[in-house]
Amino acid sequence: MRTDSTPSYFRLPDRLENPDFGAEISEDQIHLRCIARLVAEQRREVSERLAKRGHDRAGILQQSLERDVDLERLARRLRALDRMGPEACLGFMVHATTGQRTYVGRIGLTDENSEQLLVDWRAPAAEPFFAATHAQPYMLSSRRRYRWRLGKIVNFWDEVFDLTQLSKSTSLDEHSSFLASLGSNRVGKMQDVLSTIQADQDSIIRSSAKGALVVDGGPGTGKTVVALHRAAYLLHADAQLHSGGGRVLVLGPHEAYTAYISDILPNLGEEDVLIATLNDLVPEIGDSTLESSAPIAQLKSTYRMVDAVRRAVSVFEQRPECDLLIETSWGELNLTVQHWMNAVASVDPGVNHNEARSQIRQVLEEILSEQLPSGCAPATQVHAEITRNAQLADALEVHWPLLDPHKLITSLFSIPALLRFSAPWLTGSEQECLLSDEPHMLSVEDGPLLDAARFFVGDPDVEVAKHQRDALLAGEREMIQRVIGDLIAAVDDMEDLSAQLRNEDLQDKLVLQRAEAEAPTESLTGPFAHIIIDEAQDLTEAQWSMVLRRCPSGSLTIVGDRAQAANGFTESWEERLVRSGISRCRVAKLSVNYRTTQQIMDAAASVIRQQLPDANVPSSIRTDGAPVIYARPNQQADLLAKWLSDNPLGVGVVIGDPLFTQTERIRSLSPTQSKGLEFDLVILNRPENFGDGFSGFVHRYVCMTRATGQLIVLSDEPLEMF
């Protein structure tokens, strides 16, 4: 390999400067230069191929589709290479028997001589890099992990599993590399921590996608990081996901969270993962607020209310009480009750109300057509007249009308008779509580119910869409036939080809292929092969039904902490999930807090254990933190100014002070908005106002554990409350 003279990739602290230092990293330098050269060559090659393919004529049908697929694939590869370079390398491991180095990276790279420069971190061959421990070294003698910043390695750590190698490294540290990275300053975005993944976390990342996996752990245990790395790993390695369509959805608690984690998956080489909040699944909710009444919120959040939506739909699915006479140009036709029942029975299983109406109508039209004398009129004329028949349309409108999901929900909470039929288990006072004078004003708690209505009802414009699709297909068919005719006319003697091109089945296939390629899809409606739910301890039964509806495979990663459930979580995960519709799950526990210092965690533990003595409070591995500062709210400005002066890097947050104007480095959030985030500095402004009872203690606990370096508590109350 060529080893051009290039600037060093290392910018290391003084502790690593020694006479043997150059020799120790010389092989690293050579390998990193080879990676840089290969990435540059591949980027140039992909750019050229992308430009050349872009100039190809689109052609028609399959040619056009293939070109578009190639362009998308090349563009994805170019975006991945743009993100990568030598810093794609996480480090290397040395095999005990051969002494061979295996370099592990965010992507896999092989040079022109088929030499593996980087093993993709998700590949089985890379597993020992993350899984090896002194108790189980996986046939490794040592492992080196890099810590990159701005294109340079600013630190590295050697973990030696073969004791005979101890004297050969100048970079040994009593802590593993993750300790240093976790103590580094925040930058406002979650950073991927591939080079610091620990064995307990790695085993969760690489576990099977089959069924539901609960990742249970307290603050700072790396639950979210593990879940996101698991998404990237499963997309790469798990065949079950690819057989299910390969789409993965990550659901977070709020928009600040989704923005915070947005860079993780692209940096891990994955772009086919959607990240959203629960409210994003129901865009009609928009900027709706929470229910002001706790009893109403509780009633609307149950699975039984989702079932009430299903029962409400059934009110509009009734058979006629007597036979109907349908007048046509050829005489009266009889549409019996039995005909109607047969049409309803023919509906495909799982079809929603509006789609079922279309299928019922088609069957009824066929039943009526069969009653006409043979040859009374051309089939197209018969079909057109029956399709336009007003009596048939009126019968459908009375007994199986098109429904609108939004109107169904507003009707449910404004028509007493409909609510009584749909939710007979409600008491009289509960019914009165739910009935609203402004039912069209939807709350956040209505979101899962509206989503259920969309699922049970379907698209209210389904019939209009069908007419538009039929017109599109007819136009495409005419165009295909014209193109095929022109092709045949240009050929001298290809009878076999002519026969194939005139085959109607082939024409139908080409038409459908073209039309389906142009059909828009709703990205968040599902189905998804795998869904990751973060902060899952707060999901209601109605929200769980919304999630499970999008994941028919049941392949889920459920991330949460029972102690952080604002509404209480006294049962086990298994008990909670069974009630939510998940019959079985595996629970993996994370019990080491890698983020929050012991000083902060001790203070937070004293808060939550006042209400939840058996809370799963993790043990902090970091003991290098500053003491918690307790002060009065009027000292906020001075304390903040001092921290900014003492800490030129890092980001902070003020929680609970709506009057505070955030800056580039200091954000202002509510207690709810802070969930799932982390900051170097956290200031709690009057935490006694974060809520009453159990939920108030949970909010304080959650907010305190967002801090990685300094926690300041400002209160007008006696400090004993903390």
Side-chain angles (χ1 to χ4, degrees), residues 514-527:
R514 184 176 176 90
E516 288 172 359
E518 297 174 357
T521 57
E522 294 184 356
S523 59
L524 291 175
T525 57

Side-chain angles (χ1 to χ4, degrees), residues 58 88 96 101 149 184 195 278 315 363 388 526 611 704 716:
R101 289 187 176 190
R149 178 176 291 170
S184 63
S195 63
L278 285 166
V315 171
V363 173
R388 293 194 301 267
Q611 293 289 314
M704 294 173 79
D716 293 319

Side-chain angles (χ1 to χ4, degrees), residues 390-648:
Q391 290 170 297
L392 177 59
D394 290 344
L396 283 164
E397 195 60 33
V398 170
H399 302 291
W400 204 290
L402 280 172
L403 296 179
D404 179 274
H406 187 279
K407 291 180 180 177
L408 180 73
I409 295 301
T410 58
S411 297
L412 181 62
F413 296 125
S414 62
I415 302 176
L418 181 59
L419 183 59
R420 282 196 301 271
F421 172 84
S422 304
W425 56 85
L426 293 175
T427 65
S429 60
E430 288 173 335
Q431 291 177 21
E432 290 180 9
C433 188
L434 286 170
L435 290 170
S436 171
D437 294 331
E438 294 182 310
H440 59 284
M441 299 293 291
L442 299 181
S443 67
V444 170
E445 285 80 3
D446 289 312
L449 304 182
L450 180 56
D451 189 73
R454 287 196 315 197
F455 177 75
F456 296 133
V457 169
D459 183 1
D461 298 321
V462 62
E463 293 189 351
V464 173
K466 181 179 183 301
H467 291 318
Q468 292 175 341
R469 178 175 171 79
D470 288 345
L472 172 65
L473 291 177
E476 293 288 346
R477 186 183 304 281
E478 181 180 348
M479 187 272 290
I480 296 296
Q481 289 174 341
R482 185 170 62 252
V483 171
I484 290 176
D486 292 343
L487 290 173
I488 293 173
V491 175
D492 294 331
D493 185 17
M494 297 187 68
E495 294 183 2
D496 289 342
L497 176 60
S498 298
Q500 293 179 38
L501 289 175
R502 291 193 186 279
N503 184 284
E504 290 188 4
D505 289 342
L506 175 60
Q507 294 177 21
D508 288 343
K509 181 178 179 180
L510 294 175
V511 169
L512 287 170
Q513 185 180 46
R514 184 176 176 90
E516 288 172 359
E518 297 174 357
T521 57
E522 294 184 356
S523 59
L524 291 175
T525 57
F528 292 93
H530 189 83
I531 295 182
I532 293 171
I533 312 103
D534 205 352
E535 304 295 346
Q537 72 276 353
D538 291 323
L539 265 64
T540 66
E541 292 177 358
Q543 288 173 328
W544 272 115
S545 69
M546 186 166 61
V547 172
L548 297 180
R549 202 174 292 127
R550 288 165 168 77
C551 192
S553 68
S555 179
L556 303 163
T557 300
I558 299 164
V559 183
D561 176 16
R562 293 166 58 247
Q564 296 186 58
N567 294 319
F569 197 138
T570 57
E571 57 200 332
S572 67
W573 277 107
E574 291 86 349
E575 291 167 336
R576 168 66 64 87
L577 295 177
V578 163
R579 287 197 296 105
S580 302
I582 301 173
S583 58
R584 286 185 295 179
C585 67
R586 316 185 312 274
V587 179
K589 291 185 178 293
L590 293 171
S591 57
V592 177
N593 187 330
Y594 300 111
R595 178 185 71 206
T596 314
T597 65
Q598 181 178 331
Q599 291 86 343
I600 295 172
M601 206 62 222
D602 286 347
S606 67
V607 170
I608 193 62
R609 283 187 169 142
Q610 293 181 51
Q611 293 289 314
L612 198 64
D614 63 342
N616 179 22
V617 178
S619 301
S620 292
I621 201 167
R622 293 180 57 208
T623 60
D624 58 339
V628 177
I629 296 175
Y630 297 94
R632 298 303 179 190
N634 59 9
Q635 297 175 267
Q636 177 172 290
D638 291 341
L639 290 169
L640 185 54
K642 184 179 187 309
W643 185 86
L644 288 170
S645 175
D646 294 343
N647 297 272

